[in-house]
Amino acid sequence: MSDWSNSGYQGEVTENWYHGKGTFTFPNGVIYEGEFWKGEFHGEGTLIYPNGGRYKAKWNRGKMIEGDYYFNDSLKYEVENWDYLTEDRDRRFFYERTEGFDPYSLNRPLPEIPEGTYDVGDGYYEPVASIVYTYKGQVLRTPSEKEVEWVIEKCRYNPRKKGVLGGEHDKVIKKAIEKSNEPIPKVIEPTIKTIPAEADSQVETKKELAE
């Protein structure tokens, strides 16, 4: 153990050597758990990092011979043949595999959504009304502009089979149609009264007498 470097050792000791099985803690928080031989990593040993990652390896007199890195969720890092979270194989995260979460793409049919809407995972987005509904048709939320941009770019879209936009089941569209069918109000032009020439001359005469 070194007080000045803040490192430490716990385990078997032979003739003042770290020898046998033990645990060595580095100043940066990395921990080695495994076998020692005269103060050096030797045999089976694992480096444990502060973020929870682990490097399991075989050591020979302090040098790593072979080993594998495991993330903090126990996922093994592979240089090649990376087969998780891939679009063409399995889009699940590793913890979703271990916890038994089944992806829609493998075991479930896609939920049905109305024509002209986007599947957002917890319901569908109707772009005309700009509202997210549950799959049962109940109002869920009004999305922000940023969410709308993401939905249009990323989410599954069910195109309309008809070219005409129907609004018989949409309150917003029905209201717009009703407004468009209302008669145009008649514009009443203002009435401008003209002063007869005879009355105008009388006003001028009165002005002259007053002067």
Side-chain angles (χ1 to χ4, degrees):
M1 180 176 179
S2 177
D3 293 331
W4 63 269
S5 67
N6 200 29
S7 60
Y9 173 80
Q10 291 182 341
E12 299 176 352
V13 177
T14 301
E15 297 181 355
N16 293 325
W17 291 103
Y18 304 156
H19 196 84
K21 293 185 177 181
T23 300
F24 184 87
T25 303
F26 291 89
N28 61 359
V30 177
I31 299 173
Y32 172 85
E33 287 185 352
E35 300 175 326
F36 291 81
W37 190 82
K38 289 189 175 182
E40 297 178 319
F41 303 163
H42 188 79
E44 301 284 342
T46 302
L47 289 172
I48 305 171
Y49 297 90
N51 65 359
R54 293 171 176 261
Y55 194 86
K56 298 180 180 180
K58 290 183 179 180
W59 306 82
N60 182 19
R61 300 295 303 272
K63 294 183 179 180
M64 189 271 295
I65 304 301
E66 60 181 5
D68 295 298
Y69 180 81
Y70 294 83
F71 295 94
N72 58 7
D73 60 357
S74 300
L75 171 66
K76 180 181 177 182
Y77 173 74
E78 298 284 357
V79 178
E80 298 179 354
N81 300 321
W82 191 261
D83 67 344
Y84 105 105
L85 200 59
T86 53
E87 184 176 356
D88 57 339
R89 295 185 183 180
D90 192 336
R91 293 181 294 171
R92 290 176 295 175
F93 288 97
F94 182 71
Y95 74 87
E96 292 175 335
R97 286 186 181 181
T98 57
E99 296 297 325
F101 179 82
D102 296 326
Y104 278 104
S105 59
L106 295 182
N107 299 308
R108 297 191 183 108
L110 294 174
E112 294 184 2
I113 58 176
E115 294 180 8
T117 62
Y118 296 83
D119 185 1
V120 296
D122 57 349
Y124 62 87
Y125 170 67
E126 206 292 300
V128 177
S130 193
I131 293 177
V132 175
Y133 298 88
T134 65
Y135 291 119
K136 295 182 178 180
Q138 299 172 337
V139 175
L140 189 60
R141 66 180 178 277
T142 300
S144 64
E145 291 184 6
K146 188 174 182 179
E147 182 180 1
V148 170
E149 292 177 2
W150 183 87
V151 168
I152 294 175
E153 181 181 355
K154 302 290 186 181
C155 294
R156 177 175 65 94
Y157 177 68
N158 184 19
R160 296 184 182 276
K161 296 178 182 178
K162 299 178 182 179
V164 180
L165 181 65
E168 60 273 10
H169 300 298
D170 192 293
K171 293 182 180 179
V172 175
I173 298 177
K174 287 174 69 176
K175 191 67 176 178
I177 293 174
E178 291 174 1
K179 285 288 185 182
S180 64
N181 291 332
E182 288 181 358
I184 300 174
K186 186 177 180 180
V187 178
I188 301 175
E189 296 182 358
T191 302
I192 301 176
K193 295 183 178 181
T194 58
I195 301 175
E198 185 178 322
D200 190 40
S201 62
Q202 292 179 358
V203 172
E204 291 295 332
T205 303
K206 290 181 179 179
K207 285 184 177 180
E208 291 176 0
L209 292 175
E211 293 175 354

